PDB file of all heavy atoms in Angstrom:
ATOM      1  N   VAL A  73      22.012 -51.691 145.113  1.00  0.00           N
ATOM      2  CA  VAL A  73      20.778 -52.426 144.751  1.00  0.00           C
ATOM      3  C   VAL A  73      19.852 -51.568 143.846  1.00  0.00           C
ATOM      4  O   VAL A  73      19.139 -52.134 142.981  1.00  0.00           O
ATOM      5  CB  VAL A  73      20.029 -52.867 146.015  1.00  0.00           C
ATOM      6  CG1 VAL A  73      19.524 -51.676 146.831  1.00  0.00           C
ATOM      7  CG2 VAL A  73      18.864 -53.802 145.679  1.00  0.00           C
ATOM      8  N   THR A  77      18.541 -52.912 140.353  1.00  0.00           N
ATOM      9  CA  THR A  77      17.092 -53.001 140.214  1.00  0.00           C
ATOM     10  C   THR A  77      16.601 -52.186 139.054  1.00  0.00           C
ATOM     11  O   THR A  77      15.631 -52.590 138.360  1.00  0.00           O
ATOM     12  CB  THR A  77      16.401 -52.575 141.544  1.00  0.00           C
ATOM     13  OG1 THR A  77      16.833 -53.393 142.614  1.00  0.00           O
ATOM     14  CG2 THR A  77      14.899 -52.665 141.403  1.00  0.00           C
ATOM     15  N   ILE A  80      17.208 -54.425 136.040  1.00  0.00           N
ATOM     16  CA  ILE A  80      16.322 -55.577 136.056  1.00  0.00           C
ATOM     17  C   ILE A  80      14.887 -55.162 135.756  1.00  0.00           C
ATOM     18  O   ILE A  80      14.186 -55.776 134.958  1.00  0.00           O
ATOM     19  CB  ILE A  80      16.394 -56.286 137.449  1.00  0.00           C
ATOM     20  CG1 ILE A  80      17.776 -56.920 137.628  1.00  0.00           C
ATOM     21  CG2 ILE A  80      15.294 -57.336 137.556  1.00  0.00           C
ATOM     22  CD1 ILE A  80      18.056 -57.351 139.076  1.00  0.00           C
ATOM     23  N   SER A  81      14.442 -54.048 136.353  1.00  0.00           N
ATOM     24  CA  SER A  81      13.111 -53.532 136.101  1.00  0.00           C
ATOM     25  C   SER A  81      12.921 -53.166 134.634  1.00  0.00           C
ATOM     26  O   SER A  81      11.852 -53.468 134.047  1.00  0.00           O
ATOM     27  CB  SER A  81      12.862 -52.312 136.980  1.00  0.00           C
ATOM     28  OG  SER A  81      11.643 -51.713 136.652  1.00  0.00           O
ATOM     29  N   VAL A  84      12.405 -56.348 132.567  1.00  0.00           N
ATOM     30  CA  VAL A  84      11.046 -56.902 132.755  1.00  0.00           C
ATOM     31  C   VAL A  84      10.033 -56.052 132.012  1.00  0.00           C
ATOM     32  O   VAL A  84       9.122 -56.554 131.374  1.00  0.00           O
ATOM     33  CB  VAL A  84      10.713 -57.032 134.266  1.00  0.00           C
ATOM     34  CG1 VAL A  84       9.255 -57.380 134.454  1.00  0.00           C
ATOM     35  CG2 VAL A  84      11.630 -58.025 134.942  1.00  0.00           C
ATOM     36  N   HIS A  85      10.242 -54.739 132.090  1.00  0.00           N
ATOM     37  CA  HIS A  85       9.336 -53.795 131.387  1.00  0.00           C
ATOM     38  C   HIS A  85       9.290 -54.080 129.890  1.00  0.00           C
ATOM     39  O   HIS A  85       8.240 -53.932 129.269  1.00  0.00           O
ATOM     40  CB  HIS A  85       9.813 -52.368 131.681  1.00  0.00           C
ATOM     41  CG  HIS A  85       8.954 -51.312 131.044  1.00  0.00           C
ATOM     42  ND1 HIS A  85       7.737 -50.947 131.532  1.00  0.00           N
ATOM     43  CD2 HIS A  85       9.165 -50.569 129.942  1.00  0.00           C
ATOM     44  CE1 HIS A  85       7.203 -50.024 130.767  1.00  0.00           C
ATOM     45  NE2 HIS A  85       8.050 -49.746 129.774  1.00  0.00           N
ATOM     46  N   PHE A  89      12.731 -61.249 130.025  1.00  0.00           N
ATOM     47  CA  PHE A  89      12.667 -61.881 131.302  1.00  0.00           C
ATOM     48  C   PHE A  89      13.923 -62.726 131.623  1.00  0.00           C
ATOM     49  O   PHE A  89      14.396 -62.723 132.764  1.00  0.00           O
ATOM     50  CB  PHE A  89      11.429 -62.797 131.379  1.00  0.00           C
ATOM     51  CG  PHE A  89      10.151 -62.036 131.124  1.00  0.00           C
ATOM     52  CD1 PHE A  89       9.338 -62.330 130.050  1.00  0.00           C
ATOM     53  CD2 PHE A  89       9.778 -60.989 131.952  1.00  0.00           C
ATOM     54  CE1 PHE A  89       8.179 -61.681 129.789  1.00  0.00           C
ATOM     55  CE2 PHE A  89       8.573 -60.289 131.719  1.00  0.00           C
ATOM     56  CZ  PHE A  89       7.783 -60.636 130.627  1.00  0.00           C
ATOM     57  N   ALA A  92      16.609 -60.430 132.737  1.00  0.00           N
ATOM     58  CA  ALA A  92      16.336 -59.931 134.085  1.00  0.00           C
ATOM     59  C   ALA A  92      16.856 -60.905 135.141  1.00  0.00           C
ATOM     60  O   ALA A  92      17.512 -60.512 136.115  1.00  0.00           O
ATOM     61  CB  ALA A  92      14.830 -59.676 134.255  1.00  0.00           C
ATOM     62  N   LEU A  93      16.592 -62.203 134.913  1.00  0.00           N
ATOM     63  CA  LEU A  93      17.070 -63.184 135.908  1.00  0.00           C
ATOM     64  C   LEU A  93      18.591 -63.337 135.883  1.00  0.00           C
ATOM     65  O   LEU A  93      19.210 -63.562 136.920  1.00  0.00           O
ATOM     66  CB  LEU A  93      16.398 -64.537 135.586  1.00  0.00           C
ATOM     67  CG  LEU A  93      14.896 -64.604 135.861  1.00  0.00           C
ATOM     68  CD1 LEU A  93      14.346 -65.976 135.459  1.00  0.00           C
ATOM     69  CD2 LEU A  93      14.562 -64.311 137.306  1.00  0.00           C
ATOM     70  N   PHE A  96      19.959 -60.462 137.810  1.00  0.00           N
ATOM     71  CA  PHE A  96      19.713 -60.696 139.229  1.00  0.00           C
ATOM     72  C   PHE A  96      20.780 -61.655 139.825  1.00  0.00           C
ATOM     73  O   PHE A  96      21.297 -61.446 140.916  1.00  0.00           O
ATOM     74  CB  PHE A  96      18.320 -61.282 139.450  1.00  0.00           C
ATOM     75  CG  PHE A  96      17.964 -61.567 140.880  1.00  0.00           C
ATOM     76  CD1 PHE A  96      17.560 -60.544 141.724  1.00  0.00           C
ATOM     77  CD2 PHE A  96      18.055 -62.877 141.373  1.00  0.00           C
ATOM     78  CE1 PHE A  96      17.269 -60.818 143.042  1.00  0.00           C
ATOM     79  CE2 PHE A  96      17.754 -63.144 142.682  1.00  0.00           C
ATOM     80  CZ  PHE A  96      17.366 -62.103 143.527  1.00  0.00           C
ATOM     81  N   PRO A 106      18.931 -57.997 147.416  1.00  0.00           N
ATOM     82  CA  PRO A 106      17.757 -57.408 146.751  1.00  0.00           C
ATOM     83  C   PRO A 106      16.842 -56.732 147.765  1.00  0.00           C
ATOM     84  O   PRO A 106      16.852 -57.088 148.941  1.00  0.00           O
ATOM     85  CB  PRO A 106      17.079 -58.627 146.101  1.00  0.00           C
ATOM     86  CG  PRO A 106      17.524 -59.787 146.918  1.00  0.00           C
ATOM     87  CD  PRO A 106      18.928 -59.464 147.379  1.00  0.00           C
ATOM     88  N   ASN A 107      16.091 -55.782 147.281  1.00  0.00           N
ATOM     89  CA  ASN A 107      15.145 -55.065 148.170  1.00  0.00           C
ATOM     90  C   ASN A 107      13.700 -55.319 147.772  1.00  0.00           C
ATOM     91  O   ASN A 107      13.424 -56.143 146.903  1.00  0.00           O
ATOM     92  CB  ASN A 107      15.463 -53.550 148.218  1.00  0.00           C
ATOM     93  CG  ASN A 107      15.295 -52.879 146.857  1.00  0.00           C
ATOM     94  OD1 ASN A 107      14.687 -53.462 145.930  1.00  0.00           O
ATOM     95  ND2 ASN A 107      15.814 -51.670 146.749  1.00  0.00           N
ATOM     96  N   ASP A 108      12.814 -54.569 148.370  1.00  0.00           N
ATOM     97  CA  ASP A 108      11.362 -54.776 148.112  1.00  0.00           C
ATOM     98  C   ASP A 108      10.941 -54.384 146.705  1.00  0.00           C
ATOM     99  O   ASP A 108       9.811 -54.722 146.290  1.00  0.00           O
ATOM    100  CB  ASP A 108      10.540 -53.967 149.130  1.00  0.00           C
ATOM    101  CG  ASP A 108      10.783 -54.421 150.551  1.00  0.00           C
ATOM    102  OD1 ASP A 108      11.361 -55.514 150.739  1.00  0.00           O
ATOM    103  OD2 ASP A 108      10.453 -53.674 151.477  1.00  0.00           O
ATOM    104  N   PHE A 109      11.803 -53.679 145.956  1.00  0.00           N
ATOM    105  CA  PHE A 109      11.499 -53.341 144.576  1.00  0.00           C
ATOM    106  C   PHE A 109      12.078 -54.379 143.617  1.00  0.00           C
ATOM    107  O   PHE A 109      11.545 -54.579 142.531  1.00  0.00           O
ATOM    108  CB  PHE A 109      12.073 -51.955 144.224  1.00  0.00           C
ATOM    109  CG  PHE A 109      11.413 -50.826 144.988  1.00  0.00           C
ATOM    110  CD1 PHE A 109      11.974 -50.367 146.181  1.00  0.00           C
ATOM    111  CD2 PHE A 109      10.234 -50.286 144.563  1.00  0.00           C
ATOM    112  CE1 PHE A 109      11.368 -49.351 146.899  1.00  0.00           C
ATOM    113  CE2 PHE A 109       9.620 -49.255 145.249  1.00  0.00           C
ATOM    114  CZ  PHE A 109      10.189 -48.798 146.420  1.00  0.00           C
ATOM    115  N   THR A 110      13.134 -55.045 144.053  1.00  0.00           N
ATOM    116  CA  THR A 110      13.780 -56.048 143.189  1.00  0.00           C
ATOM    117  C   THR A 110      12.933 -57.318 143.074  1.00  0.00           C
ATOM    118  O   THR A 110      12.733 -57.829 141.959  1.00  0.00           O
ATOM    119  CB  THR A 110      15.162 -56.435 143.729  1.00  0.00           C
ATOM    120  OG1 THR A 110      15.872 -55.281 144.172  1.00  0.00           O
ATOM    121  CG2 THR A 110      15.996 -57.167 142.669  1.00  0.00           C
ATOM    122  N   PHE A 111      12.432 -57.760 144.197  1.00  0.00           N
ATOM    123  CA  PHE A 111      11.708 -59.045 144.205  1.00  0.00           C
ATOM    124  C   PHE A 111      10.462 -59.082 143.290  1.00  0.00           C
ATOM    125  O   PHE A 111      10.266 -60.056 142.569  1.00  0.00           O
ATOM    126  CB  PHE A 111      11.351 -59.453 145.623  1.00  0.00           C
ATOM    127  CG  PHE A 111      12.465 -60.130 146.363  1.00  0.00           C
ATOM    128  CD1 PHE A 111      13.078 -59.477 147.423  1.00  0.00           C
ATOM    129  CD2 PHE A 111      12.940 -61.373 145.988  1.00  0.00           C
ATOM    130  CE1 PHE A 111      14.116 -60.093 148.111  1.00  0.00           C
ATOM    131  CE2 PHE A 111      13.991 -61.976 146.673  1.00  0.00           C
ATOM    132  CZ  PHE A 111      14.571 -61.348 147.734  1.00  0.00           C
ATOM    133  N   PRO A 112       9.603 -58.054 143.323  1.00  0.00           N
ATOM    134  CA  PRO A 112       8.459 -58.118 142.418  1.00  0.00           C
ATOM    135  C   PRO A 112       8.839 -58.245 140.946  1.00  0.00           C
ATOM    136  O   PRO A 112       8.143 -58.941 140.176  1.00  0.00           O
ATOM    137  CB  PRO A 112       7.740 -56.785 142.670  1.00  0.00           C
ATOM    138  CG  PRO A 112       8.095 -56.432 144.077  1.00  0.00           C
ATOM    139  CD  PRO A 112       9.501 -56.914 144.263  1.00  0.00           C
ATOM    140  N   CYS A 113       9.989 -57.634 140.568  1.00  0.00           N
ATOM    141  CA  CYS A 113      10.455 -57.743 139.186  1.00  0.00           C
ATOM    142  C   CYS A 113      10.867 -59.171 138.812  1.00  0.00           C
ATOM    143  O   CYS A 113      10.486 -59.714 137.776  1.00  0.00           O
ATOM    144  CB  CYS A 113      11.630 -56.812 138.941  1.00  0.00           C
ATOM    145  SG  CYS A 113      11.228 -55.070 139.088  1.00  0.00           S
ATOM    146  N   VAL A 114      11.641 -59.810 139.691  1.00  0.00           N
ATOM    147  CA  VAL A 114      12.132 -61.147 139.371  1.00  0.00           C
ATOM    148  C   VAL A 114      11.067 -62.203 139.540  1.00  0.00           C
ATOM    149  O   VAL A 114      11.050 -63.233 138.823  1.00  0.00           O
ATOM    150  CB  VAL A 114      13.405 -61.509 140.175  1.00  0.00           C
ATOM    151  CG1 VAL A 114      14.578 -60.737 139.679  1.00  0.00           C
ATOM    152  CG2 VAL A 114      13.191 -61.292 141.666  1.00  0.00           C
ATOM    153  N   PHE A 115      10.096 -61.977 140.438  1.00  0.00           N
ATOM    154  CA  PHE A 115       8.942 -62.885 140.544  1.00  0.00           C
ATOM    155  C   PHE A 115       8.125 -62.859 139.232  1.00  0.00           C
ATOM    156  O   PHE A 115       7.707 -63.885 138.733  1.00  0.00           O
ATOM    157  CB  PHE A 115       8.074 -62.506 141.715  1.00  0.00           C
ATOM    158  CG  PHE A 115       8.499 -63.105 143.025  1.00  0.00           C
ATOM    159  CD1 PHE A 115       8.671 -62.305 144.153  1.00  0.00           C
ATOM    160  CD2 PHE A 115       8.750 -64.474 143.132  1.00  0.00           C
ATOM    161  CE1 PHE A 115       9.053 -62.843 145.367  1.00  0.00           C
ATOM    162  CE2 PHE A 115       9.145 -65.036 144.347  1.00  0.00           C
ATOM    163  CZ  PHE A 115       9.300 -64.214 145.468  1.00  0.00           C
ATOM    164  N   LYS A 116       7.984 -61.663 138.696  1.00  0.00           N
ATOM    165  CA  LYS A 116       7.238 -61.525 137.438  1.00  0.00           C
ATOM    166  C   LYS A 116       7.976 -62.217 136.309  1.00  0.00           C
ATOM    167  O   LYS A 116       7.365 -62.869 135.431  1.00  0.00           O
ATOM    168  CB  LYS A 116       6.993 -60.050 137.111  1.00  0.00           C
ATOM    169  CG  LYS A 116       6.166 -59.857 135.842  1.00  0.00           C
ATOM    170  CD  LYS A 116       5.905 -58.383 135.592  1.00  0.00           C
ATOM    171  CE  LYS A 116       5.074 -58.225 134.300  1.00  0.00           C
ATOM    172  NZ  LYS A 116       4.759 -56.793 134.053  1.00  0.00           N
ATOM    173  N   ALA A 117       9.300 -62.065 136.296  1.00  0.00           N
ATOM    174  CA  ALA A 117      10.111 -62.727 135.250  1.00  0.00           C
ATOM    175  C   ALA A 117       9.999 -64.254 135.276  1.00  0.00           C
ATOM    176  O   ALA A 117       9.814 -64.899 134.284  1.00  0.00           O
ATOM    177  CB  ALA A 117      11.582 -62.294 135.372  1.00  0.00           C
ATOM    178  N   SER A 118      10.073 -64.808 136.503  1.00  0.00           N
ATOM    179  CA  SER A 118      10.022 -66.251 136.643  1.00  0.00           C
ATOM    180  C   SER A 118       8.589 -66.769 136.285  1.00  0.00           C
ATOM    181  O   SER A 118       8.440 -67.821 135.686  1.00  0.00           O
ATOM    182  CB  SER A 118      10.377 -66.722 138.040  1.00  0.00           C
ATOM    183  OG  SER A 118       9.541 -66.113 139.005  1.00  0.00           O
ATOM    184  N   ALA A 119       7.562 -65.963 136.616  1.00  0.00           N
ATOM    185  CA  ALA A 119       6.209 -66.360 136.275  1.00  0.00           C
ATOM    186  C   ALA A 119       6.000 -66.326 134.760  1.00  0.00           C
ATOM    187  O   ALA A 119       5.381 -67.207 134.192  1.00  0.00           O
ATOM    188  CB  ALA A 119       5.218 -65.423 136.955  1.00  0.00           C
ATOM    189  N   SER A 120       6.527 -65.278 134.119  1.00  0.00           N
ATOM    190  CA  SER A 120       6.365 -65.131 132.646  1.00  0.00           C
ATOM    191  C   SER A 120       7.104 -66.225 131.888  1.00  0.00           C
ATOM    192  O   SER A 120       6.675 -66.636 130.818  1.00  0.00           O
ATOM    193  CB  SER A 120       6.859 -63.765 132.199  1.00  0.00           C
ATOM    194  OG  SER A 120       6.149 -62.723 132.865  1.00  0.00           O
ATOM    195  N   GLY A 127      11.102 -69.602 140.881  1.00  0.00           N
ATOM    196  CA  GLY A 127      10.216 -68.811 141.741  1.00  0.00           C
ATOM    197  C   GLY A 127      10.304 -69.214 143.194  1.00  0.00           C
ATOM    198  O   GLY A 127      10.309 -68.402 144.091  1.00  0.00           O
ATOM    199  N   LEU A 130      13.481 -67.902 144.682  1.00  0.00           N
ATOM    200  CA  LEU A 130      13.325 -66.465 144.980  1.00  0.00           C
ATOM    201  C   LEU A 130      12.473 -66.271 146.254  1.00  0.00           C
ATOM    202  O   LEU A 130      12.778 -65.370 147.078  1.00  0.00           O
ATOM    203  CB  LEU A 130      12.664 -65.745 143.803  1.00  0.00           C
ATOM    204  CG  LEU A 130      13.488 -65.658 142.523  1.00  0.00           C
ATOM    205  CD1 LEU A 130      12.647 -65.199 141.360  1.00  0.00           C
ATOM    206  CD2 LEU A 130      14.661 -64.710 142.721  1.00  0.00           C
ATOM    207  N   HIS A 131      11.438 -67.114 146.397  1.00  0.00           N
ATOM    208  CA  HIS A 131      10.605 -67.049 147.598  1.00  0.00           C
ATOM    209  C   HIS A 131      11.445 -67.325 148.837  1.00  0.00           C
ATOM    210  O   HIS A 131      11.330 -66.613 149.853  1.00  0.00           O
ATOM    211  CB  HIS A 131       9.477 -68.036 147.469  1.00  0.00           C
ATOM    212  CG  HIS A 131       8.469 -67.988 148.590  1.00  0.00           C
ATOM    213  ND1 HIS A 131       7.441 -68.874 148.724  1.00  0.00           N
ATOM    214  CD2 HIS A 131       8.396 -67.158 149.694  1.00  0.00           C
ATOM    215  CE1 HIS A 131       6.731 -68.587 149.811  1.00  0.00           C
ATOM    216  NE2 HIS A 131       7.313 -67.543 150.405  1.00  0.00           N
ATOM    217  N   ALA A 134      13.555 -64.330 149.607  1.00  0.00           N
ATOM    218  CA  ALA A 134      12.757 -63.241 150.186  1.00  0.00           C
ATOM    219  C   ALA A 134      12.382 -63.527 151.624  1.00  0.00           C
ATOM    220  O   ALA A 134      12.327 -62.661 152.472  1.00  0.00           O
ATOM    221  CB  ALA A 134      11.504 -63.003 149.324  1.00  0.00           C
ATOM    222  N   ASN A 139      11.973 -59.955 153.420  1.00  0.00           N
ATOM    223  CA  ASN A 139      11.243 -59.099 152.454  1.00  0.00           C
ATOM    224  C   ASN A 139       9.848 -59.638 152.139  1.00  0.00           C
ATOM    225  O   ASN A 139       8.983 -58.901 151.666  1.00  0.00           O
ATOM    226  CB  ASN A 139      12.006 -59.049 151.130  1.00  0.00           C
ATOM    227  CG  ASN A 139      13.423 -58.567 151.308  1.00  0.00           C
ATOM    228  OD1 ASN A 139      14.297 -59.368 151.533  1.00  0.00           O
ATOM    229  ND2 ASN A 139      13.638 -57.242 151.225  1.00  0.00           N
ATOM    230  N   ILE A 140       9.588 -60.924 152.417  1.00  0.00           N
ATOM    231  CA  ILE A 140       8.324 -61.529 152.067  1.00  0.00           C
ATOM    232  C   ILE A 140       7.178 -60.893 152.822  1.00  0.00           C
ATOM    233  O   ILE A 140       6.004 -60.981 152.412  1.00  0.00           O
ATOM    234  CB  ILE A 140       8.370 -63.058 152.280  1.00  0.00           C
ATOM    235  CG1 ILE A 140       7.259 -63.748 151.456  1.00  0.00           C
ATOM    236  CG2 ILE A 140       8.242 -63.403 153.793  1.00  0.00           C
ATOM    237  CD1 ILE A 140       7.438 -63.652 149.996  1.00  0.00           C
ATOM    238  N   ASP A 142       6.663 -57.805 153.164  1.00  0.00           N
ATOM    239  CA  ASP A 142       6.207 -56.635 152.425  1.00  0.00           C
ATOM    240  C   ASP A 142       4.995 -57.011 151.555  1.00  0.00           C
ATOM    241  O   ASP A 142       4.998 -58.077 150.876  1.00  0.00           O
ATOM    242  CB  ASP A 142       7.338 -56.081 151.564  1.00  0.00           C
ATOM    243  CG  ASP A 142       6.872 -54.826 150.778  1.00  0.00           C
ATOM    244  OD1 ASP A 142       6.914 -53.733 151.337  1.00  0.00           O
ATOM    245  OD2 ASP A 142       6.465 -55.006 149.590  1.00  0.00           O
ATOM    246  N   VAL A 143       3.968 -56.230 151.581  1.00  0.00           N
ATOM    247  CA  VAL A 143       2.712 -56.577 150.866  1.00  0.00           C
ATOM    248  C   VAL A 143       2.920 -56.713 149.362  1.00  0.00           C
ATOM    249  O   VAL A 143       2.322 -57.591 148.732  1.00  0.00           O
ATOM    250  CB  VAL A 143       1.603 -55.542 151.213  1.00  0.00           C
ATOM    251  CG1 VAL A 143       1.942 -54.185 150.635  1.00  0.00           C
ATOM    252  CG2 VAL A 143       0.261 -56.039 150.690  1.00  0.00           C
ATOM    253  N   PHE A 144       3.807 -55.910 148.806  1.00  0.00           N
ATOM    254  CA  PHE A 144       4.024 -55.999 147.333  1.00  0.00           C
ATOM    255  C   PHE A 144       4.839 -57.200 146.956  1.00  0.00           C
ATOM    256  O   PHE A 144       4.604 -57.859 145.959  1.00  0.00           O
ATOM    257  CB  PHE A 144       4.733 -54.716 146.841  1.00  0.00           C
ATOM    258  CG  PHE A 144       3.866 -53.492 146.980  1.00  0.00           C
ATOM    259  CD1 PHE A 144       4.117 -52.559 147.991  1.00  0.00           C
ATOM    260  CD2 PHE A 144       2.795 -53.276 146.119  1.00  0.00           C
ATOM    261  CE1 PHE A 144       3.318 -51.434 148.128  1.00  0.00           C
ATOM    262  CE2 PHE A 144       2.002 -52.140 146.245  1.00  0.00           C
ATOM    263  CZ  PHE A 144       2.254 -51.222 147.266  1.00  0.00           C
ATOM    264  N   VAL A 145       5.816 -57.554 147.792  1.00  0.00           N
ATOM    265  CA  VAL A 145       6.642 -58.756 147.552  1.00  0.00           C
ATOM    266  C   VAL A 145       5.768 -59.974 147.691  1.00  0.00           C
ATOM    267  O   VAL A 145       5.798 -60.894 146.861  1.00  0.00           O
ATOM    268  CB  VAL A 145       7.824 -58.801 148.496  1.00  0.00           C
ATOM    269  CG1 VAL A 145       8.622 -60.123 148.312  1.00  0.00           C
ATOM    270  CG2 VAL A 145       8.766 -57.630 148.239  1.00  0.00           C
ATOM    271  N   GLY A 146       4.983 -60.021 148.789  1.00  0.00           N
ATOM    272  CA  GLY A 146       4.082 -61.168 149.018  1.00  0.00           C
ATOM    273  C   GLY A 146       3.071 -61.331 147.868  1.00  0.00           C
ATOM    274  O   GLY A 146       2.807 -62.443 147.400  1.00  0.00           O
ATOM    275  N   CYS A 147       2.537 -60.229 147.381  1.00  0.00           N
ATOM    276  CA  CYS A 147       1.548 -60.246 146.303  1.00  0.00           C
ATOM    277  C   CYS A 147       2.229 -60.789 145.031  1.00  0.00           C
ATOM    278  O   CYS A 147       1.623 -61.595 144.299  1.00  0.00           O
ATOM    279  CB  CYS A 147       0.981 -58.875 146.079  1.00  0.00           C
ATOM    280  SG  CYS A 147      -0.262 -58.803 144.740  1.00  0.00           S
ATOM    281  N   SER A 148       3.467 -60.382 144.772  1.00  0.00           N
ATOM    282  CA  SER A 148       4.194 -60.837 143.583  1.00  0.00           C
ATOM    283  C   SER A 148       4.498 -62.338 143.673  1.00  0.00           C
ATOM    284  O   SER A 148       4.393 -63.048 142.656  1.00  0.00           O
ATOM    285  CB  SER A 148       5.498 -60.058 143.416  1.00  0.00           C
ATOM    286  OG  SER A 148       5.243 -58.688 143.281  1.00  0.00           O
ATOM    287  N   ALA A 149       4.835 -62.816 144.871  1.00  0.00           N
ATOM    288  CA  ALA A 149       5.107 -64.259 145.039  1.00  0.00           C
ATOM    289  C   ALA A 149       3.807 -65.043 144.829  1.00  0.00           C
ATOM    290  O   ALA A 149       3.825 -66.099 144.150  1.00  0.00           O
ATOM    291  CB  ALA A 149       5.658 -64.509 146.460  1.00  0.00           C
ATOM    292  N   PHE A 150       2.708 -64.549 145.372  1.00  0.00           N
ATOM    293  CA  PHE A 150       1.424 -65.235 145.161  1.00  0.00           C
ATOM    294  C   PHE A 150       1.063 -65.258 143.677  1.00  0.00           C
ATOM    295  O   PHE A 150       0.614 -66.274 143.173  1.00  0.00           O
ATOM    296  CB  PHE A 150       0.307 -64.484 145.948  1.00  0.00           C
ATOM    297  CG  PHE A 150      -1.043 -64.837 145.496  1.00  0.00           C
ATOM    298  CD1 PHE A 150      -1.610 -66.055 145.861  1.00  0.00           C
ATOM    299  CD2 PHE A 150      -1.785 -63.970 144.692  1.00  0.00           C
ATOM    300  CE1 PHE A 150      -2.877 -66.390 145.444  1.00  0.00           C
ATOM    301  CE2 PHE A 150      -3.040 -64.315 144.254  1.00  0.00           C
ATOM    302  CZ  PHE A 150      -3.604 -65.527 144.640  1.00  0.00           C
ATOM    303  N   ASP A 151       1.256 -64.165 143.012  1.00  0.00           N
ATOM    304  CA  ASP A 151       0.948 -64.100 141.570  1.00  0.00           C
ATOM    305  C   ASP A 151       1.806 -65.088 140.770  1.00  0.00           C
ATOM    306  O   ASP A 151       1.336 -65.731 139.832  1.00  0.00           O
ATOM    307  CB  ASP A 151       1.162 -62.659 141.058  1.00  0.00           C
ATOM    308  CG  ASP A 151       0.547 -62.451 139.677  1.00  0.00           C
ATOM    309  OD1 ASP A 151      -0.653 -62.679 139.523  1.00  0.00           O
ATOM    310  OD2 ASP A 151       1.272 -62.060 138.773  1.00  0.00           O
ATOM    311  N   MET A 152       3.080 -65.214 141.180  1.00  0.00           N
ATOM    312  CA  MET A 152       4.002 -66.107 140.508  1.00  0.00           C
ATOM    313  C   MET A 152       3.486 -67.558 140.660  1.00  0.00           C
ATOM    314  O   MET A 152       3.434 -68.316 139.673  1.00  0.00           O
ATOM    315  CB  MET A 152       5.417 -65.971 141.077  1.00  0.00           C
ATOM    316  CG  MET A 152       6.434 -66.906 140.462  1.00  0.00           C
ATOM    317  SD  MET A 152       6.529 -68.559 141.306  1.00  0.00           S
ATOM    318  CE  MET A 152       7.032 -68.089 142.962  1.00  0.00           C
ATOM    319  N   LYS A 155       0.360 -68.143 138.496  1.00  0.00           N
ATOM    320  CA  LYS A 155       0.601 -68.186 137.068  1.00  0.00           C
ATOM    321  C   LYS A 155       1.395 -69.397 136.632  1.00  0.00           C
ATOM    322  O   LYS A 155       1.370 -69.756 135.442  1.00  0.00           O
ATOM    323  CB  LYS A 155       1.253 -66.924 136.599  1.00  0.00           C
ATOM    324  CG  LYS A 155       0.292 -65.725 136.518  1.00  0.00           C
ATOM    325  CD  LYS A 155       0.950 -64.499 135.898  1.00  0.00           C
ATOM    326  CE  LYS A 155      -0.083 -63.431 135.531  1.00  0.00           C
ATOM    327  NZ  LYS A 155      -0.935 -62.991 136.620  1.00  0.00           N
TER     328      LYS A 155
END
Side-chain angles (χ1 to χ4, degrees):
V73 64
T77 301
I80 294 166
S81 173
V84 172
H85 180 76
F89 303 118
L93 292 177
F96 180 79
N107 63 14
D108 298 344
F109 294 95
T110 318
F111 278 112
C113 295
V114 287
F115 274 129
K116 183 176 180 179
S118 59
S120 300
L130 292 169
H131 184 185
N139 305 89
I140 200 66
D142 180 84
V143 66
F144 294 105
V145 175
C147 182
S148 300
F150 164 75
D151 193 56
M152 179 273 297
K155 284 187 167 57

